[in-house]
Amino acid sequence: MASNYDRAASEKKWQQFWRTEKIYRFDAKSDKKVYSIDNPPRYASGTLHAGHAVNYTQIDFAARYKRMQGYNVFFPLCFDTNGTPIEVQVEKKHGISIDQIPRQDFIKKCREFANSFIKEMTSQFEMLGESMDPELYYQTDSEDYRRLTQISFIRLHKKGLIYKGEFPVNWCPRCQTAVADAEVEHKHRTTKLNEVIFKDKDTGEDVIIATTRPELLCTCQLVAVHPFDSSKRKLVGRKLITPMFNREVPVVDDDKVDPDFGSGVVMICTIGDKDDLDWCYKYSLPMEMAIDEKGRMTSTAGKYEGMEIIEARKEIIEDLRKEGLLVKQHDLEQNVGVCWRCSTPIEFLQMPEWFLNIMKFKKEVLMIADQIDWHPAYMKQRLVDWVTSLAWDWPISRQRYFATPIPLWECTNPECGKVYLAEEEGCYVDPTITPPPVEKCEECGGEVEGCQDVFDTWMDSSISPLYNTFWERDPELFKKLYPMSLRPQAQDIIRTWAYYTILREWLLVKEKPWKEVMIGAYILSPDGTPMHASKGNTVDPMELIEDYGSDSVRYWAAMCGLGEDSPVNFKELTRGHRLGTKLWNVEQFIFKGLEGSKPERTGAVHTIDLWILGKYYQAVDSATKCLDDYEFDKAVKEIEYFIWHELADHYIEMVKHRLYAGDASARYTLYTIGLGIIKVLAPFMPHITEELYQQFYRQHEREKSIHIAAWPEFIQVESSAASAEIVREVIAAIRNWKSEKGMALNTVLESVQIAAPEAGLLQECADTITSTLKIKELNFINKDELAQQTVEVKPVFKNIGPTFKAGAKELTRKLRELDPKSVDVLPIKITLSRGKEVELGEEYVELRKGYVFHGEAVETLAVGDVLVVF
Ligand SMILES: [Zn+2]
Ligand SMILES: [Zn+2]
């Protein structure tokens, strides 16, 4: 039997064993109850970082636990290979822009780029010990997956929920595509606030207006002031002349104006931000566009046409300054909406886009959110807040390439625009390649062309529960698998992935997608700041595995609370490593003691064994309850405490003599607990627990891997077993006493007496006490046999000094000269040299009591109401 644990070799060996033995295989034909995980398809734009390692490991805890609970676990290995982030990286890598290269060539480059990470990430998942089933593999750019996205779109289109509209949408000029509200992030930045001069048309008076976007002056159509702003109200109804463009614009009053911002006078342009947009609708202003889809100024901008936004802003500020129309500039802190893929500031553009009607279904989404159990519970509020704040429908079309094509053809005649929707049977289809179903438009005889747009990537991701449950492919399996058990995900995509999934599944199958949602931890760098490659503070999880082993990395992952910010914690990694070593040593002790055989439960169980079994079952019960609530940290701590502080610190010392003597009760107890603790730790530390299982238990147990063995059951032990706790306390106290005296723990004690009000239990366990502590002679005595006497009279200096001042010294000496035995009670009288008699109570004197046993002063140790006499 190996006495040392070869971590690296063992982890590799079992990973291979699990793979070849298909330990994680989901059995579609099985009648067992199903636990299904809507595993987040890992985005294929790089390898795993520390955050992914923790998040997937937390999901794996649930998968492994449920497998041992007897569930048929559905946990797919999957990757997300779609969308703009991959395109952005491909553009960077090849130094190209999407419009400089043929569509299919660009798609090919994206696919190659994404696929290049999949093999490595798959092997990283394995090294982390993640128990995903490779037979359930999927990738979101597969025709199989995209076909389902297209069918789901066709269904929604037929329900009348999809429409094409020309509304201003959030637009990323860098990615050159529409983005949904959910994809707009808010970044803090410092910009310049420019005070520019408008002229009153009639009086020629200067009116100062502050703006951060002077390049939009060319689309200024209206100026507004607050109705209660007494100094500005006089402008209402007048006409102003805009600087540089000399347009005549009216002034209105509007209570949305903030009178304290800038000069209190606002110019309204089409379109700088959402406020502008609201005003455009309110005052029915024509949508003049100063910026095109590439982020360049249009002809509306006159001499600035063709310039990029920043360049145009610089130019116009310079021109305003030259003309004397710029009063001053100052810094302004502002929150600006940026593209979440590339951080470019978002513009508003009016473009023809496909929309999914989502505004109608707020109530339904909130209703479904209530039917789902959220872990942690407060995360549901994030979704509620988002849904409540939604103001626009969802633009689902993107002007990109590497995504699912929108399955339709359109008549190019702008007066007609007839839509030819693909047939479900014809999907998957790419209408940029496949010719239209008609040669000419049946309505107007115009040209019909395939839709060039693709779907927003969330259109794919938000049907993952339908893909996983074989919707539209296997009705029987769908019935068995839908809704799924768990959606694990990150909190920053609650407003996208969680929201869109709930919405779409409601629209398509009218039922919640999952029973539970688990929001993973957010991992920070060791110093507690977010990890950024540019800051050089990222941590590679593979290096952590190298240094600490996979089980220790997983232990740390367990300690990261769900939904919380958790820095990489080297202390926890070390603790995980120490727990592994402890577990190894405890089990080696058990294996050696049991000498290869499986003990059966025969005869009575020893009191001490009942006591530790009680503690053990309690720990199993608590850990199980924590796991049911996805409280991984608490579950591990329960069993960890038991192993260190009940089993190893106490019980193992207490049981050695009986184990070595072949006691059946001791052997049965050690087998039960030894197997049970590795089972409870198996989801967290799968490698070392498998190694230990195979080393000894496997030959006696049915299952070929601990990871498909049954979770330990909870058994109620007779409550009287708990009272044996006093035996542990007495032993612990005497061991402590030995160590304080500088004695080795195996130092032989000639004779020890114990006086206890109820000695029955201690007497019953006398063998345990004497063997554990190496006591030659242990006697139980009656407390009456002990007499108490004073062994020291201690002056209380802090009170004697201030009260007796000059006399304090003499008083202290006299107290010390007293024979302690003669002082029974307080107060005592002391006569000082000048004949003055003082009476001292407990304020001034402390009497330390000791015991006398058969006329001899003895050392004692109190353990509750039990007295140990040496
Ligand atoms: Zn972008
Ligand atoms: Zn037509």
Side-chain angles (χ1 to χ4, degrees), residues 196-209 220-225 232 234-243 245-252 265-267:
V196 301
I197 296 172
F198 282 52
K199 297 275 186 193
D200 188 308
K201 186 193 167 202
D202 300 320
T203 66
E205 222 177 306
D206 288 357
V207 176
I208 294 169
I209 294 183
C220 175
Q221 302 182 36
L222 198 66
V223 166
V225 298
K232 299 287 160 18
K234 61 178 194 291
L235 292 170
V236 176
R238 309 188 79 111
K239 293 237 157 70
L240 301 184
I241 304 294
T242 66
F245 295 91
N246 298 317
R247 292 170 72 158
E248 210 179 287
V249 295
V251 184
V252 297
V265 188
V266 173
M267 69 173 196

Side-chain angles (χ1 to χ4, degrees), residues 411 413 416-418 441 443-446:
C411 173
N413 173 3
C416 172
K418 182 169 168 61
C441 174
E443 302 280 320
C444 72

